[in-house]
Amino acid sequence: PSDWGSLTPKATYQEAVRGMNDPLVKKYPLLVITPPGRYRVHSLFWTNPWLKGQVYQHRIWISPADAKARGIKDGDMVAVYNDRGKVVMPAYVTARIMPGIIALRSGAWYEPDKSGVDFGASASTLLGGDYDSCIAPAKAATLAQLEKYEGDLP
């Protein structure tokens, strides 16, 4: 069809912008993936206290190797950031994710403090708002750095 723009009629490999071959990987060495939340439909049910705090805990998944290198233990508060924003949330240290990759489930609400740090830990804070870094129907990955958070919590 004539409205496909630069898309090809069949699947072809395209280098990911803000992927592991991007020069930004030197500054932001972790690939953030944003799978859907298990107990939410996008951001629906974010304010349900039973689903938000008891059944499901919104945490960043990190491998034991990446956590150890950063002095992070399961449940520690961490800051995940890149040039687009910063989120603060608890860590979930698990061997269920590969080293070099962190998973931030989508669907959280943006809850910034006065300085713009997002304590709701919305994946959109790190994904940004441009369309050039997106080769898929929706943004799903970016690069970031993660470190133990030592600041105050709201």
Side-chain angles (χ1 to χ4, degrees):
S2 61
D3 62 348
W4 282 15
S6 63
L7 294 176
T8 59
K10 61 181 178 140
T12 58
Y13 175 78
Q14 292 181 333
E15 188 71 44
V17 177
R18 291 184 172 261
M20 296 309 287
N21 291 328
D22 192 299
L24 279 174
V25 79
K26 292 179 179 120
K27 189 171 182 181
Y28 307 114
L30 299 170
L31 181 67
V32 181
I33 59 172
T34 59
R38 182 174 180 181
Y39 296 103
R40 291 191 303 269
V41 177
H42 301 288
S43 64
L44 191 63
F45 306 125
W46 175 251
T47 57
N48 182 315
W50 188 68
L51 292 176
K52 186 175 181 182
Q54 295 173 346
V55 172
Y56 169 75
Q57 296 176 3
H58 189 59
R59 303 190 296 169
I60 187 100
W61 290 36
I62 182 172
S63 74
D66 288 333
K68 184 177 180 182
R70 291 165 173 80
I72 294 167
K73 295 182 181 91
D74 189 51
D76 284 350
M77 292 301 287
V78 296
V80 186
Y81 62 91
N82 60 20
D83 56 329
R84 294 176 166 173
K86 182 177 186 178
V87 302
V88 174
M89 64 191 312
Y92 174 50
V93 179
T94 177
R96 294 171 58 194
I97 193 158
M98 292 173 44
I101 297 175
I102 53 178
L104 172 57
R105 298 219 179 253
S106 62
W109 285 10
Y110 178 63
E111 298 174 1
D113 67 1
K114 291 179 184 177
S115 65
V117 176
D118 180 9
F119 285 87
S122 170
S124 297
T125 302
L126 300 174
L127 292 171
D130 71 307
Y131 294 101
D132 295 333
S133 63
C134 180
I135 59 172
K139 286 188 201 185
T142 191
L143 295 172
Q145 180 58 286
L146 184 146
E147 62 189 29
K148 195 168 185 176
Y149 180 71
E150 301 292 344
D152 295 328
L153 297 174

